[in-house]
Amino acid sequence: MAGGGGGRRLCSGVLESLDDCFTGFLIVVLEWYEQVRRRLLPLLRRQKMALLTAPVVAAVLLLTWAAYGEADYVLYKDATKPVEARVSDLLARMTPAEKIGQMTQIERQVASPQVLKDYFIGSLLSGGGSVPRKQATAAEWVNMVSDFQKASLSTRLGIPMIYGIDAVHGHNNVYGATIFPHNVGLGATRDPNLVKRIGAATALEVRATGIQYAFAPCIAVCRDPRWGRCYESYSEDHRIVQAMTELIPGLQGDVPPGFTSGMPYVAGKNNVAACAKHFVGDGGTQNGINENNTIIDRQGLMNIHMPAYLNALQKGVSTVMISYSSWNGIKMHANHDLITRFLKDRLNFKGFAISDWEGIDRITSPPGANYPYSVQASILAGIDMIMVPNNYQSFISILTSHVNNGIIPMSRIDDAVTRILRVKFTMGLFENPMPDSTMADQLGKKEHRDLAREAVRKSLVLLKNGKTSDKPLLPLSKKAPKILVAGSHADNLGYQCGGWTIEWQGDTGHITVGTTILDAVKAAVDPSTTVVFAENPDAAFVKNGGFSYAIVVVGEHPYTETRGDSLNLTIPEPGPSTVTTVCGAVPCATVLISGRPVVVQPFLGAMDALVAAWLPGTEGQGVTDVLFGDYGFTGKLPRTWFKSVDQLPMNYGDAHYDPLFPLGFGLTTQPRTY
C-alpha cells in the first residue's frame, strides 16, 4: 500500500493485521491533511479567498497523492536496468514479512492463492506424486500454476513466485512426459552432448506445464551401490560426473562469453532454473546408508565430492540444494563452513542455497525435536530458501521471532532475499511470470521420445555375449520362427522407469505413456516371428515350447531414497528363478533393469548374454534397437560391478580392487547389415 521511493511504509511490521495496515493508512492521511491545511490556509487568506473546507482539502490531498504515485519511478520494474540495481531497489521496499515470505517454499497441497497473498510466499513445489489430479494434462498444470502466480502478482510489490519440481529424468512427475534413463544410465553413455540435449528437452517439457525450476541435476558421486539413491548419480568417478554437468546448460542455456563463475544464469522463458544437489558428500555415506555420515578428510571431500560443483558454478547453476547427510558428524544443513565460507565466499556462488524437503527438521534427532533451533542453525549456516514444505506458518512465525529478537540478523535475511531475487530477475521472471499455454505440445513430443530412445541404446552395457567368446548370441535374429519373452520387467513400464516416476517411489504397471520392452520386441521382429510372453514360465513350458531363443527381463523393483538402501543387493524373486529356469532350457539374453550393480555372479554362467539396461525410462525400443543389431552396443560401466557385497565399498583405484567387471567395462558389437 505504500508509495515507492522514499514514501513512508504503511505496513512495515512483520505480521500486521489488515486493521493495523488501515490504521497506519489513516494516520498518514491525517498527517498529510494537516500539512496541506497549514500551508494552504495562509496563502488563501492572503488571496482573500474563502477558507477551504475539509472536503476540499481532502480532494486536493488525494489529487496530490495520485500525482505523486504516478510520478514515482519504480526502478525494479524496469527491465532495462541492471539486475543488481533492480534487486537493491526491490529489497529496499520490502517489509520483513515480505522478505521472510520469499525465503519460504511450500508444497502446492497446502497452498492457495490466499495463502500466497497473506504470507508473501516466494516459492511453491510439487513433491513426488503431487499433481493437480491423476493424469493431469499440460493445460491443467498451467491453469494451476497461473492461479498461484496471479495471487503472487497481486501482492503489494508483485513479486512472482518460482515453482519447483523434481524433473530428474525428464519431467517425471507428469503423466505423458518423456522419461529418460536415470543418471546412472546416462553416465554409461559417456556422452555429455547427449545429456545436454536431454536437459534442453526436459526444460521445454517442464515449461509446458508452467513450471520454471527443476531440482536437477544430482551430481552426487556414489561410492557405494548399497545407497538407495545411487541411480541418481552418474558415476563413482567424479570426472564422469563433472562431464555430465552439461545437463545444466541444457536446462538453463549456455552462459555468455566472459561469464563470471558463480553467478546464476537462465537464458530465457524456454529454459528453467537448475539445481545442483546435494551439497556435499551425499554419495559417500557410511555403508551407503541414505542421509548418513560421510567420513572423509577435507582433501578427500574436495577431490571426490566437490569437483562437479565447480563445473556447475562455471555453467551458471542458479541454485544449490543442501544434502541431508553429514560430513564427519556435522549435518550439512547446519554447516556454515561449507555453505557460507566455502560455497558462497570461496567459490563465489551468487545464486541461492535451498534446503531439501524438511531438511532443516533433520538437523536434530529425532527430526523436528527442536524446530526453533533448526530454523536458527540452517539460516545462519547460509541456507536461503527453506523447503518447509507443509508447516509454513510455524516456520514463518519462528523465523520472524528470531529476527525480532536479534538471534538472526537482518543482514542474513537480506543476503538470502538478495540471492532469491537475483535468480528471479536473471531468469526474466518479472517480465514473463505467467505460463505459456502454447508450449503444451512440448510434453512427450516425438522428438523428445526419439532422443530418449537414443539415450537408452547408448546407455546399455553389454557384460556378456555368448557362452564362449567365439559364439556370440547378440545381435538376435529378427526372423526367428518363435521366441520367448519372460520376466517380471518385460511388460511393466513402471518397473522399467524406476523411482521418481509419476509417484515419489515409482509404481508398477502402465503408469504413463511409453513402450515396454515386450511391446518393443513385438514391433522389432519380422511379422512372421511368433512372440510368446510368459512372465514366469515353468521349465517344461520352456523346454517344450520350440523357442529359438528367449529374452529374459528382470531386475529391481522401483524405490527412492531410504527405501532403496540395500545391504544385500539381490534381485528380488521371481527374477533369479526365471533366469535359472529359462536360461537352463534355451539360449537366453538377460536384460537387467536396475539402478546399480546387483548380485549376478551365481547365474552368470547360465546366461548366454547379459545386458545392464539400468532404468531406461519410457522408450523401450531403445533396448531392442541394440538387441537386434540396428545399432551396436557402446555403453561403458559407470560403476564398478562387484563379485560380492562383502567387497563393498569398492571403487576404481582401491587397494582391494577385484571386480567382476571393472569401471569402464563394456563389450561392443557392430550394427547388423541387412
Side-chain angles (χ1 to χ4, degrees), residues 13 31 72 98 107 121 130 178 200 250 388:
E31 288 175 350
D72 185 35
E98 289 164 332
E107 228 290 333
I121 299 297
S130 178
T178 308
V388 176

Side-chain angles (χ1 to χ4, degrees), residues 337-569:
D337 174 50
L338 286 176
I339 299 173
T340 295
R341 290 181 183 169
F342 190 80
L343 177 64
K344 291 183 172 182
D345 296 344
R346 174 91 176 269
L347 299 185
N348 194 42
F349 176 57
K350 299 299 185 184
F352 67 81
I354 184 170
S355 82
D356 208 332
W357 177 284
E358 294 181 345
I360 71 169
D361 304 45
R362 278 127 150 127
I363 290 174
T364 60
S365 183
N370 187 347
Y371 196 57
Y373 170 74
S374 293
V375 173
Q376 173 187 342
S378 59
I379 300 298
L380 290 178
I383 303 180
D384 306 305
M385 182 180 285
I386 304 299
M387 192 185 295
V388 176
N390 297 309
N391 299 320
Y392 60 90
Q393 291 167 309
S394 176
F395 168 75
I396 289 172
S397 176
I398 290 168
L399 182 52
T400 298
S401 175
H402 283 344
V403 173
N404 288 342
N405 292 324
I407 295 171
I408 296 177
M410 184 55 73
S411 59
R412 173 75 269 272
I413 302 300
D414 286 347
D415 172 60
V417 178
T418 293
R419 293 168 176 275
I420 293 165
L421 294 179
R422 181 181 289 128
V423 170
K424 290 184 176 184
F425 278 119
T426 298
M427 66 189 297
L429 201 55
F430 281 78
E431 287 66 57
N432 294 291
M434 300 303 296
D436 182 353
S437 60
T438 66
M439 295 184 69
D441 62 352
Q442 297 292 329
L443 190 71
K445 66 186 292 188
K446 183 180 184 301
E447 291 85 350
H448 297 168
R449 293 190 181 277
D450 290 344
L451 176 62
R453 183 172 174 175
E454 176 190 348
V456 173
R457 61 177 178 255
K458 288 182 174 179
S459 70
L460 304 181
V461 180
L462 182 58
L463 298 176
K464 181 180 180 180
N465 189 16
K467 290 287 177 63
T468 59
S469 59
D470 59 337
K471 292 185 179 179
L473 178 66
L474 302 178
L476 299 170
S477 170
K478 292 184 178 182
K479 294 186 177 182
K482 188 178 182 182
I483 65 175
L484 172 66
V485 178
S488 54
H489 289 54
D491 194 33
N492 193 316
L493 197 63
Y495 284 5
Q496 190 173 303
C497 292
W500 291 115
T501 312
I502 303 302
E503 300 292 342
W504 173 44
Q505 291 292 330
D507 209 342
T508 182
H510 208 78
I511 61 174
T512 189
V513 178
T515 304
T516 68
I517 293 171
L518 175 63
D519 292 335
V521 170
K522 291 177 177 178
V525 297
D526 191 84
S528 65
T529 299
T530 299
V531 178
V532 177
F533 173 60
E535 187 169 315
N536 188 25
D538 59 38
F541 176 84
V542 180
K543 287 178 182 178
N544 301 324
F547 301 111
S548 302
Y549 59 80
I551 299 171
V552 183
V553 191
V554 296
E556 295 186 294
H557 295 161
Y559 56 81
T560 301
E561 299 186 45
T562 302
R563 294 189 200 179
D565 287 354
S566 173
L567 293 178
N568 55 46
L569 293 177

